Amino acid sequence: MKVGILGTGGIALASAAWMAQRDHEVKLWSPRGGGADALRHEALRSSGVLESTVRVAVADSVAELAQFADVLLLAIPLNGHRAVMDALLPHLRTGQMVIVSSMGSLSALYLYEAAMTRGVPISVASFGTTVLTARRQGPAEVRILTRRTTLGVSCLPRSDQALALKTCETLFGPGFTSDENALATALTNINPVAHGPLALFNWTRIERGENWPQYHFMTPRVAAVIEQLDAERMAVAGAFGLRLRTIERHFAQSFDTQAEHLADIAAELHDKRGGPPGPTDVKTRFLSEDVPYGLIFTLALSHVTQVPAPATEATAAMAGLVVGEDFAAANDFIFALRLPAETVNGLLTRVNARR
């Protein structure tokens, strides 16, 4: 397949290497400009779970990328989704598939409905997290840390679900399952639940730029707060009739952990992996991305469902206080998707749309 990747970070480069190794033709575009320039004259090298050297192409514009691709993979931070989707929309073709990796705040629904409004029916598939975990090592080098063994995928419209599964398996290999709908996928992402408390309770380490392994510092009481946030995420999902996996189940499926309780899982992961290291930048995505596009989104849904989420609300408020930002105002999808005026049945109708 011809695959266009929007983004040049670790996940984008890892996905490019993985798919090129499977004999797909890959082209990347850098939304910020220049992020893929080295790949114009160097091969892309990957290490870790995939040792490879492959050639990929670079697009000069989003229009060129969209014209080239059968499938587009959006692999950028959530706080860049809206701007990149708006740039991509005028260039999409009827029948194209866009895979959002990973999706939060129902960004996939925004793209799908905006394309339909333009009279361009497309398919938008979504993951609640990434297929791969990776770190960019250099301009043309990436280290792939993990290939998740199981990952849920949803699709808009729902009638293209089978096509989405087949496409993802063609690109990445087996291991994909069907999420109930895009809302389930959005609420499946456990990063905000884990990252918010982890960053807040280790904030002085972040400010001091210390080297701190994440799972070692997911201590029992930090884990207990994370479990409270996870319970509220599950309760909000339950009000929409959705049954999601717990954070403990997420770790078991992603990293083959054996422990039952979160603090024990963290200890197990630290023993196995010794990391990854926690953030050392006060602008860390653990708060700047995961709070507005994760916790604030959950709070928006809690208002729709009238399900209280006090731990989520407190964590989001403390994150804004320590960073000095209004995270509630930072999410550019909540009002674009008209969530404050939405109902449970109304939102379910939208995410279960069929062609």
Side-chain angles (χ1 to χ4, degrees), residues 255-332:
F255 304 114
D256 196 29
T257 54
Q258 302 301 312
E260 293 185 14
H261 302 292
L262 186 58
D264 296 330
I265 290 171
E268 180 183 338
L269 285 170
H270 179 69
D271 289 341
K272 283 182 178 179
R273 305 176 67 191
T280 55
D281 185 346
V282 294
K283 296 181 180 179
T284 172
R285 65 181 178 85
F286 278 28
L287 297 188
S288 65
E289 180 181 344
D290 289 329
V291 173
Y293 293 95
L295 301 186
I296 295 296
F297 174 69
T298 300
L299 287 176
L301 295 182
S302 78
H303 295 148
V304 173
T305 59
Q306 297 298 300
V307 172
T312 302
E313 187 171 10
T315 303
M318 183 58 69
L321 184 62
V322 75
V323 174
E325 291 188 22
D326 182 2
F327 283 132
N331 187 314
D332 49 9

Side-chain angles (χ1 to χ4, degrees), residues 5-251:
I5 299 179
L6 300 99
T8 54
I11 300 303
L13 294 187
S15 300
W18 194 276
M19 292 187 287
Q21 184 70 13
R22 292 176 61 85
D23 295 326
H24 298 292
E25 190 177 347
V26 179
K27 182 177 284 192
L28 296 102
W29 172 67
S30 173
R32 295 182 178 179
D37 284 349
L39 297 171
R40 297 180 189 273
H41 48 81
E42 290 184 52
L44 173 59
R45 301 178 300 280
S46 68
S47 59
V49 299
L50 176 66
E51 301 279 345
S52 73
T53 301
V54 295
R55 299 294 306 197
V56 297
V58 177
D60 292 321
S61 67
V62 66
E64 177 189 337
L65 190 77
Q67 184 176 15
F68 158 83
D70 303 315
V71 179
L72 291 149
L73 178 76
L74 184 69
I76 60 171
L78 280 167
N79 53 16
H81 277 203
R82 175 79 183 273
V84 171
M85 286 177 174
D86 287 344
L88 176 64
L89 275 165
H91 310 291
L92 290 171
R93 304 189 307 273
T94 295
Q96 271 184 313
M97 177 171 288
V98 181
I99 301 173
V100 184
S101 173
S102 58
M103 190 262 286
S105 289
L106 282 175
S107 59
L109 180 63
Y110 172 82
L111 179 63
Y112 173 74
E113 291 184 338
M116 292 296 289
T117 298
R118 288 174 171 268
V120 183
I122 61 171
S123 304
V124 184
S126 304
F127 307 140
T129 187
T130 55
V131 180
L132 310 167
T133 64
R135 302 226 178 228
R136 181 169 174 162
Q137 302 288 92
E141 187 173 357
V142 63
R143 181 168 182 80
I144 304 176
L145 305 172
T146 309
R147 199 295 195 185
R148 300 186 199 275
T149 55
T150 305
L151 186 64
V153 58
S154 62
C155 190
L156 288 159
R158 290 290 296 149
S159 45
D160 285 351
Q161 180 68 29
L163 175 62
L165 278 173
K166 182 178 179 180
T167 301
C168 292
E169 290 174 352
T170 300
L171 296 178
F172 290 103
F176 293 93
T177 60
S178 289
D179 284 344
E180 189 164 342
N181 53 43
L183 181 59
T185 299
L187 288 169
T188 293
N189 187 351
I190 58 89
N191 280 350
V193 166
H195 288 169
L198 196 57
L200 285 176
F201 295 129
N202 288 281
W203 189 252
T204 55
R205 294 186 174 95
I206 296 173
E207 280 197 300
R208 297 291 187 191
E210 296 177 9
N211 182 9
W212 59 285
Q214 289 181 35
Y215 296 121
H216 183 60
F217 288 97
M218 193 183 287
T219 56
R221 283 310 307 163
V222 174
V225 174
I226 293 171
E227 288 170 334
Q228 283 184 267
L229 267 63
D230 197 52
E232 292 178 358
R233 173 184 70 96
M234 300 283 287
V236 168
F240 287 99
L242 301 173
R243 297 187 63 182
L244 306 181
R245 65 185 181 186
T246 63
I247 190 170
E248 292 87 356
R249 186 60 183 160
H250 164 83
F251 280 118

